[in-house]
Amino acid sequence: MDIVVNEELKAYIDPLTPEEHDALERSLLAEGCRDALVLWGNVLVDGHNRYGICRKHGLPFQTVQNPRFQSMEDVHLWMIDQHLGRRSVSDFQRGVLALRKREILAARKAEPTAPASHDGAAATTEATVAEPTAPVPPPAPELHSRESIAKAARLSSSQVVMIEKIQKQAEPELVAAVKSGTISINAAAAVATLPAEEQRAAAIAGKDELKQAAKRVREAKRKPPREEAAGAADAAPTPEGEASPADTLESLRRRVAELTAENAALRAQLAQLQAQPGAEGPPF
């Protein structure tokens, strides 16, 4: 059988890092390809990296059909579930996959009568896919809340919220940084609130600048209570003809400074008088 590599499926899950790919290659060369590649007809669904390495070195491999696939959506959901269960997948990647699963299930629910067909897969791969004989797979559990998404991805609900923010607001450079582990999910969510140019500049500058940018955002949100009170006083309307609280406070400060200076001058004069010969102390 001629195995067809669907580039859309190959890119559906984030690729291995060069280090991870090298480690897999060493493992296959030492132990062979023990896990079968998963196919849908003649389309490769799971095992793209193993397939490429085996072909490169002429290593034998096994294949297995998954007859439960009825559509490309079924393939995507299966791929997502497979990667959600793998320890090597980062927290951010699991969150993205769980959110992607929610979108697929929501779209499927919105069109319950849409016929299942291989036409999409055939058009994409330009390959003939054998019609499966197995019954239609049972519906996947819905991910209708952040709590259910967090459970599926083994994350907290707050992490899911931050990942959603990153997906919506972060520039590609910032997304690449969080995918690579250069910046944490928490810090990336903070930096994502900055203007696009600032995000890109921080990401290009590297890990230290990203940390500093996240710190600046957090500090800006944590405004001291005194500053907030002063800001509220400044913003409060002042009746016409009356001094505002800020003006009154400034006047009092000036008056205190003047009295302090006068007091200091009087003390200096008294000291000079007491230092003169024959001077008597104060009559009190």
Side-chain angles (χ1 to χ4, degrees), residues 182-183 202-216:
T182 302
I183 186 174
I204 293 172
K207 185 175 183 178
D208 291 340
E209 180 55 33
L210 282 169
K211 286 183 176 180
Q212 290 300 317
K215 183 179 179 181
R216 289 193 296 271

Side-chain angles (χ1 to χ4, degrees), residues 269-281:
Q269 291 177 8
L270 180 58
Q272 290 177 355
L273 291 173
Q274 289 177 340
Q276 293 177 2
E280 298 182 357

